[in-house]
Amino acid sequence: MKKLLLAALPLALLATIPSAEAHRAWLVPSSTVLATEDSWVTFDAAVSNEIFHFDYRPMSIENFQVIGPTGSNYTLVNHALGELRGQADLQLSDAGTYRIYTASHALTARWVDADGQRGMYPPRGQQATVAGLQAALPANAQELTISESSRRIETFVTAGAPSLQALTPSGVGLELHPITHPNDLFAGEMAEFQLLIDGEPAVGAEIVIIRAHTRFRDNQEEIELATDDQGHFTITWPQAGLYWLNASYRDDRAKAPATQRVGSYTATFEVLPF
Amino acid sequence: MVRLTHQACLAAFVGTLSLSASAEAIPSMTLDIEIPRLAVAEYHRPYVAIWLADERHQAVANLNVWYDISMANQEGETWLKDLRQWWRRSGRTLDLPVDGVSGATRAPGVHQVSFTQMAGDGTVFAQLPPGQYFIHVEAVREVGGREMLSFPVTFPLSTNTYSQQGQHELGKVQLTIQNEGDF
């Protein structure tokens, strides 16, 4: 079913995936498990080929937000953007779990006009609106695909005991609903997660999990999974280390005028030795 | 210091229990823990946690935790997470320091700690449900390694001696269980 759907999509759609996603975007914390309140954590962010290796472009952390044990009243500081790496710091002023994330949700459209010219909306760097799309669409657009597209990149850190307040799903886009706490992951143990699309189970989402330091081995050793009919998936961590997880989801249950929903979710997890 | 607190707890406990305790057994656990002397360029005394866990690895009692307890601003607590099994099973939910549990790090040598009738945190041995448990001894050293020894024990406790040899962060660790009711 999934394959049929993909095959039926116009080739142009493949180009709607932002160029960053041809590479891998990520946010990596210096620590995920801390003993004391007021501890500092520093974050690196980049878009790269090798997992957690600064080999391509930086990613700014300016657009990232924080939800912590008492809400959204936490601020990333000491932002810097280098040639290869974005960075920022966060002080964990309360005990509990923090989610550091960037999430976007936008309308995008692709078409071919009467002269055979490809068109897209919104223009790079602009916000999309339904009115704007209506104005931009030529009268006789062909091969029109309007997507409701969401993208989220995040990671989790905990001071003291893990807490649940920061893990509540927003109900928008493709996101993770942890069954196993994301800062309580150990090698050899099974973790269970659920993926949600707009707050509902994301059934058949495709997941790739890759352990850090791909540049020091011959193979990516990626773990490929898919969510079940409840949007759940499980992973037994093969060994301790940092892991990059990317999930993608697509269906045709978008809100009009969009004709499809596309979601991308990326997270970094730290798995400790048992 | 730890012992004193422990004894104080025990005195209070025995005082309250003396009415109901007749010829009941009085279980005790004694651990002889060897901290090895290591020839390393930078040596720091290890952090050590000793706790009791049930069959499902859930911590049911803390016996002792040795760390840099007297550093300013509780700075020594920062590295307690490196006792990573203890931290996961118990440490991260504790409000430190814990009377009768928290104690200073120990120098290389053999150190004896003894728990009569109850763990350092006041958990009464005789009140734990019968079954399989573990005494875990976990040690971690700054810029050094980590090691954990686990002793399976059955509750109710019966007199026995167990011994294990650590490989790098712990030397010989001996667990002696006495239950005076066992004749």
Side-chain angles (χ1 to χ4, degrees):
Chain A
M1 179 62 206
K2 187 90 189 164
K3 277 194 180 148
L4 279 178
L5 190 65
L6 280 173
L9 290 169
L11 249 183
L13 186 72
L14 295 177
T16 63
I17 298 167
S19 63
E21 305 214 350
H23 300 269
R24 290 139 166 182
W26 41 263
L27 175 73
V28 168
S30 53
S31 303
T32 63
V33 174
L34 296 109
T36 43
E37 290 161 37
D38 295 333
S39 298
W40 286 94
V41 179
T42 191
F43 297 88
D44 291 324
V47 176
S48 70
N49 279 333
E50 300 288 3
I51 295 297
F52 308 143
H53 180 43
F54 314 109
D55 66 2
Y56 181 58
R57 297 294 302 145
M59 180 164 67
S60 171
I61 306 181
E62 295 276 1
N63 294 327
F64 279 72
Q65 293 168 274
V66 181
I67 290 190
T70 66
S72 303
N73 50 323
Y74 305 94
T75 310
L76 288 154
V77 297
N78 301 331
H79 287 277
L81 187 66
E83 293 297 327
L84 296 173
R85 167 181 58 169
Q87 63 186 71
D89 299 333
L90 177 68
Q91 188 167 31
L92 311 185
S93 46
D94 297 302
T97 297
Y98 298 71
R99 181 198 286 251
I100 301 87
Y101 70 99
T102 181
S104 63
H105 186 251
L107 203 61
T108 59
R110 295 256 161 185
W111 63 85
V112 176
D113 70 15
D115 303 327
Q117 295 292 308
R118 298 201 179 279
M120 62 175 275
Y121 180 85
R124 231 169 252 291
Q126 288 190 23
Q127 287 288 329
T129 61
V130 174
L133 173 61
Q134 280 165 346
L137 265 184
N140 53 352
Q142 304 292 306
E143 298 179 33
L144 174 64
T145 308
I146 306 176
S147 303
E148 209 185 325
S149 133
S150 71
R151 183 167 183 246
R152 175 180 280 263
I153 301 170
E154 66 187 10
T155 194
F156 307 88
V157 300
T158 294
S163 65
L164 299 176
Q165 300 91 328
L167 305 184
T168 309
S170 71
V172 178
L174 185 64
E175 53 187 338
L176 189 80
H177 174 227
I179 312 297
T180 304
H181 195 286
N183 290 141
D184 199 18
L185 307 177
F186 285 80
E189 288 191 359
M190 190 182 80
E192 181 175 6
F193 301 112
Q194 185 183 33
L195 282 168
L196 301 175
I197 181 79
D198 296 336
E200 301 290 322
V203 179
E206 293 172 354
I207 298 144
V208 177
I209 298 173
I210 307 178
R211 206 177 73 251
H213 301 316
T214 48
R215 73 185 188 281
F216 299 130
R217 59 182 188 259
D218 288 340
N219 297 304
Q220 297 281 305
E221 296 175 13
E222 64 263 61
I223 298 167
E224 294 183 3
L225 303 166
T227 53
D228 66 14
D229 58 6
Q230 295 300 313
H232 286 245
F233 69 97
T234 62
I235 165 133
T236 300
W237 306 101
Q239 63 185 74
L242 283 170
Y243 285 79
W244 180 83
L245 178 148
N246 178 255
S248 53
Y249 177 82
R250 191 187 293 271
D251 71 16
D252 56 6
R253 304 216 312 262
K255 288 186 209 72
T259 51
Q260 64 169 6
R261 278 195 298 191
V262 184
S264 165
Y265 175 85
T266 303
T268 302
F269 298 106
E270 186 176 50
V271 175
L272 298 174
F274 187 76
Chain B
M1 181 61 206
V2 172
R3 286 262 192 91
L4 280 178
T5 314
H6 176 60
Q7 292 301 331
C9 284
L10 180 60
F13 173 77
V14 169
T16 57
L17 207 78
S18 55
L19 289 176
S20 58
S22 52
E24 292 288 311
I26 300 174
S28 73
M29 288 186 189
T30 301
L31 286 126
D32 293 285
I33 298 173
E34 184 188 5
I35 305 292
R37 187 172 301 279
L38 300 170
V40 291
E42 181 182 347
Y43 180 79
H44 300 273
R45 294 176 180 185
Y47 278 25
V48 176
I50 310 158
W51 77 103
L52 179 69
D54 66 15
E55 215 170 358
R56 290 166 41 253
H57 301 293
Q58 302 302 305
V60 296
N62 276 300
L63 282 75
N64 259 196
V65 182
W66 306 342
Y67 60 101
D68 288 327
I69 196 170
S70 52
M71 286 176 78
N73 303 319
Q74 301 183 320
E75 189 101 2
E77 293 177 13
T78 304
W79 310 106
L80 281 172
K81 66 181 176 56
D82 294 336
L83 288 164
R84 60 179 186 249
Q85 279 305 317
W86 174 77
W87 182 251
R88 179 190 199 191
R89 302 305 184 187
S90 177
R92 68 192 189 185
T93 61
L94 296 177
D95 190 6
L96 293 157
V98 176
D99 273 358
V101 174
S102 295
T105 55
R106 311 275 179 116
V110 177
H111 300 275
Q112 186 174 83
V113 287
S114 198
F115 306 90
T116 302
Q117 211 142 8
M118 65 176 108
D121 66 3
T123 303
V124 178
F125 296 139
Q127 290 179 355
L128 291 171
Q132 180 73 58
Y133 291 78
F134 295 91
I135 293 285
H136 296 297
V137 180
E138 184 177 19
V140 66
R141 186 166 48 86
E142 186 179 348
V143 298
R146 170 199 173 265
E147 184 165 28
M148 186 167 94
L149 297 177
S150 299
F151 296 87
V153 293
T154 306
F155 274 68
L157 292 167
S158 54
T159 300
N160 215 330
T161 299
Y162 310 86
S163 182
Q164 290 189 41
Q165 180 66 43
Q167 297 304 311
H168 42 102
E169 303 307 328
L170 290 166
K172 184 182 172 190
V173 176
Q174 183 167 297
L175 169 64
T176 306
I177 294 174
Q178 286 186 307
N179 201 343
E180 289 169 18
D182 296 345
F183 291 111

